[in-house]
Amino acid sequence: MNQFKPIFLGTAHPRSELVQHRRVVNSQKCVRAGGKHNDLEDVGRDTYHHTFFEMLGNWSFGDYFKEEACSMAWELLTEVYRIPKDRLYITYFGGDSSLGLSADEECRDIWLRLGVPASHVLPFPLKDNFWEMGDTGPCGPCTEIHYDHVGGGRNAAALVNQGNPDVVEIWNLVFMQYNREVEGNLLPLPQHHVDTGMGLERLVTVLQNKRSNYDTDLFTPILDAIHKGCRGPRYQGLVGDADVGRVNMAYRVVADHVRTLCVCITDGIYPGFSGAELVLRRILRRAVRFCSEVLHAPPGLLASLVPTVVEVLGDAYPELTKNTDQIMDIINENEAAFLSSLEHGRRIIERTVQKMEPSTNFPAEVAWSLYGNLGFPLDLIDLMLEEKGISLDSAAFNELALEDAKRKARGPQAGQVEDTNTHLDVHSLAQLQSNNVPVTDDSPKYSYTLGLHGQYEFSPCQATVLMLYRDQSLQKEIGAGQHCGVILDRTNFYAEQGGQDCDKGYMIRLGQQDILFPVESVRLCGGYVVHEVIAVETLRAGDQVQLFVDEARRLACMTNHTATHMLNFALRHVLGEHTEQRGSHVTAERLRFDFDTKGPVTVEQLQQVEQVVQDVIKQNKAVHMAEVPLTLARRVQGLRTVNEGYPDPVRIVSLGVPVESVLTCDSEAALQTSVELCCGTHLLRTGAVEDLSIINERQLVKGISRVIAVTGRQAKQAREVGQCLAMEVDSLSLRMKQRSTSIPEMQNLSKEVGQLTKVVTETAMPQWQRKELETILKVLQRTANTAVKKLEMKQAEEKAQSLLAKHCSQPVIVDTVPADSLSILMKVVNQLCDKSPGTSVLLLSPQASGEVLCACQVSKNCLPVFSAADWAVAVCAQMEGKAGGSPIVAKGSGNAKGMQGALTTALKFAQSKL
C-alpha cells in the first residue's frame, strides 16, 4: 500500500493524478521477507506462506467504508466465485483496553446483517485484527475472511488463527481510520479509507479446489521442473514429521524463492549487502542450500527454473520475458559464490560435531564465526544442526551478539586488548627491521572490479605469515584460543588510516579450508600491516593463508569514503574556496567531516551542498585513481592539504576526470571536480552512492563546523522520516491556527509541541529540514504558551469579577472557585487583590481527582502580623496537605475530605490576625 500512503496521509499534490481516484482495484507484486511483515521463516514449513505473492486489492479513499467493503467482499466470494458460505469464517477486532480502543461491534453487526451465523463471526485481539504498516503511519482495525478447506458441515471456529493449514485467511479488509504517531499514540485520520488484500495464490487454491497453494497451476509447473532437475522423489505435499528428510519442504522453498528472485531481479533489486538487496541475498542462499543439501541437485538447478517461472508469470508481467538471461546469470553467479561458502560451513559443522561430547550444545563461538565471517543466515545454521539432532547454545550465542553490539557501540576505542596486539612497540619494530622482515605489500586492497551486473568483486589474497605478535613481543607460534597480531608478506585488508575504518573478515590456512581465523581489526605500524586475529588453532610463522575481506563492510566504507570526497567538493563549491578540511572519519555506517567555516551553515547552504552531491551521483562519474610522484601532485591546481605528510608516490583520487588530465600542465580540471590525495578505498563510479543526507551539523568551536552524513538506503530513510515529521508539524500548525478557547486543549497543544521538538532534535533526518522544523516549532511553542497565558488571564479576570461582586470588598475573602490549574487559581487571587488592594484572599479549588488546590495573598497593610505562608500551611494541614510561599503570596494543596474544615480554619486564622 506504499504507493497510496500520500493519499492516506493527505500529502499527495492536489493536482496529481493520484488524488483523482476515489476507488481503485489492483493486483500487485508483493515480497514479505524482512521488516515488520516477514514471512520468510514460515516459507516451506507450511503450504500457504510465500515470500513473493500477488495481492488483489480493493481501495476506497474517503469513499465507501465498512458496510460497502464487507458486503462487496461477501458478494464476490459467495455469489460470483460461489464459495460455500458455511466454509467461511469472519474475524473482527475485539478491542484493546490498553489503547482505549473498544471492540469493532459495527463491523461484527454488518457481518451478522449479511447473514453470517454468529458462530462464524469471531473477535480477536490487536495482534490479529489491527493492521499497521510499520511503527508509524496509517493503521486501523481489520476484518479477515478465513476459509475451511475441509468443510463437510463441521464447525471450524476453534481452528481460526491457530496456524492450521486447513483453515487459512484468504482476504483481509483493513479500515484505515487512525495514524500511529511517532510518540506511539493514535490519532484519527481526516478521512476513512479501505485497504483490502486477498492473496491470489490462496484464492486460486480455493477456486481450483486444492488443499495447498503449491498444488495449483501457479506452482505445479515449477515443482515439475524441480523434479526433472534434481531427479529425486516427486513432490507429495507432505509437511512436518511426515516429510521425512524435508524433501517436500525443499520443493516448496525452491519454488517460492525462485519466483521471488525472478520478480525482484527484473525490478532492479539484486542480491547484495544491505537493505532489500541483503534480504534477496538471504533468500537466494536459502534456496541454494535446499537445492544442494536436501534435493542433492547439481549446481545450476535454481537458474534452470527461471524459464518455467517466466512461462507461468510472463503473461501478467511481460518484463520477465525480456530479462530471462540476466536473471539466470545473476542467480548462477551468486549460487557459485555461496556453494563455496556452504561447503566451508558444512565441513566446519561436521568437524565440530565430531569433537563434541554427547548431549551437548553446538558451541556458540563456531556458530558466531559462521554467521559473522561466512555470512551464514542464522536459520540455515539452525536447520543444519536440527538435521543432526543438535541444538545451538543460544544463550551463549546471544551473549556474543550482545558483546559485539557493545564493542560496536564503543567504536574505535574498543579496549586495550586489541591495542596491545596490533600496536607494534618500538622494540619489536626494530627487531623486525634488523631481521630484514619486509614491510607488508598491501596493494591487493585495491584489487576489486565491477562485475557484469554492477556488483563489486573482491579478489581473495594468498599470503605467508611472517611473524606473530602478542603481549608486546614477536613470536613464531601462538596457541589456540589466543588473540594475537599477525604480520603477513602481503594483504588485501585495509588498515585504519586516512580517516577510514579498517576492514574485518577472516583468513584460512591453505590445506585446512574449514578452519576460519577471524580478523577483528587491522592496523598499519611502520609499514607492517598487523591483523588482529583469534587463533582458533595453533598459528605459526611460515603458514600459508588465504584472506577474505568482509565485503559488505568494505563496500559500505568505500561508498561513504567516495561520498566524503563529494561532500568536500560540494562544501567548497557552496561555501567558497576558503573552506578547508580539518578532519574526517569514515565508517560503514556513516561519515563525519570537519571543516573551516566563517559562520554557521544556513539551511539554504545545506540544501545546496546536498544538491551538488546529488548532481554528481546522477552523473555516475567514473572514479579515477592512480599513484603519482609527490612532486607532480603538488602542481595540481585546486588540490588541497598537500602540505601534510604524504607518502611518495602519492595516490590521487579524481571524480570524472582521468588523473593524467589532472596532471597536465595548466589544467584547471581539479577546480571543477573533486581531486584529492587519498589512500582510502573508493567506489569505481559515483552512482553507487545512490543518495546522501547530512543528518547533523554543528560548530565544534568558532570557525570549525562538523557535519555527519549517511548515504544510500540510510539517506533515503532519513528523508522519509523528515517528510513524516514535517507533516506532523504542519498538522500541529493547523490545529494551532484554529485557536481553541479551551485552556486544557491549548496546554495539550503546548505539550505536543514540546514532545515533537524533542523528536525532531533527536531523530536522524536531513539537518536543513531539522533546522526549518525547529524554527517553526519554536514559534508554535511561543504561540501556545502565550495563548495559554491569555486564556488563563481572561478566565481569572472573569472569576475575580464574580467573586468581587459576591464579597463586596470585604477585608478577607475566603471561598471556593473552579479552576483548571494552580496557575489559574493564583491569577484569580492576584486579580482580586489588584482590584481590591486592602483585601486578603484565600481560594480553594476542588479537582476531579479529589485534590484541592489552595492559593492566597495577604494585603501589604497586614504585614508582618499576617503571613500568607503561615495562612496556607494552616489551611492545607486541615486537608492533610502541604503548602509554602512568602509572607505575601503562597500556594499548596490537600485532600477534598478536609475542605469544609479548611474553609473554616482559613476564616478563623485570618480573623485572628486582623
Side-chain angles (χ1 to χ4, degrees), residues 332-506:
N332 277 329
E333 287 172 14
N334 281 271
E335 180 183 41
F338 182 53
L339 283 174
S340 174
S341 297
L342 196 63
E343 186 59 27
H344 282 168
R346 187 183 61 78
R347 286 203 303 267
I348 289 169
I349 287 176
E350 287 181 351
R351 183 169 172 270
T352 306
V353 170
Q354 289 171 4
K355 293 181 178 180
M356 285 169 54
E357 297 290 333
S359 304
T360 57
N361 287 334
F362 190 81
E365 296 82 3
V366 179
W368 180 256
S369 179
L370 287 167
Y371 174 71
N373 298 315
L374 285 182
F376 260 58
L378 290 180
D379 66 315
L380 296 196
I381 297 173
D382 286 335
L383 284 170
M384 286 180 169
L385 295 178
E386 199 175 322
E387 288 173 355
K388 298 180 181 297
I390 297 171
S391 298
L392 172 63
D393 187 346
S394 298
F397 185 91
N398 291 336
E399 197 172 324
L400 287 172
L402 187 63
E403 287 175 10
D404 184 65
K406 287 179 179 177
R407 185 164 62 249
K408 287 176 179 175
R410 290 196 299 266
Q413 298 81 26
Q416 295 304 309
V417 175
E418 290 81 0
D419 288 344
T420 57
N421 290 328
T422 55
H423 256 309
L424 292 175
D425 64 287
V426 64
H427 303 293
S428 297
L429 276 168
Q431 186 179 341
L432 287 168
Q433 291 159 3
S434 65
N435 291 342
N436 295 318
V437 176
V439 295
T440 311
D441 171 19
D442 63 351
S443 59
K445 69 188 178 188
Y446 299 123
S447 297
Y448 50 87
T449 57
L450 271 175
L452 188 63
H453 303 291
Q455 78 282 9
Y456 279 81
E457 296 176 349
F458 299 87
S459 303
C461 172
Q462 190 170 317
T464 302
V465 177
L466 300 179
M467 195 63 69
L468 302 165
Y469 184 73
R470 179 175 170 80
D471 297 332
Q472 293 191 312
S473 71
L474 297 172
Q475 300 178 22
K476 294 280 188 180
E477 183 177 307
I478 293 290
Q482 295 186 322
H483 283 250
C484 67
V486 178
I487 301 169
L488 304 169
D489 62 335
R490 62 199 306 268
T491 183
N492 59 348
F493 276 76
Y494 184 86
E496 182 176 352
Q497 56 184 320
Q500 179 179 325
D501 260 9
C502 68
D503 282 335
K504 292 187 179 185
Y506 64 96

Side-chain angles (χ1 to χ4, degrees), residues 9-10 20 82 136 265 280 367 382 484 556 616 686 702 717 738 740 799 828:
L9 292 174
Q20 308 305 319
R82 299 188 182 278
T136 59
I265 292 170
L280 195 63
D382 286 335
C484 67
V616 179
T686 61
K702 189 172 178 62
Q717 186 177 356
Q738 293 168 356
S740 170
K799 293 179 186 297
V828 176

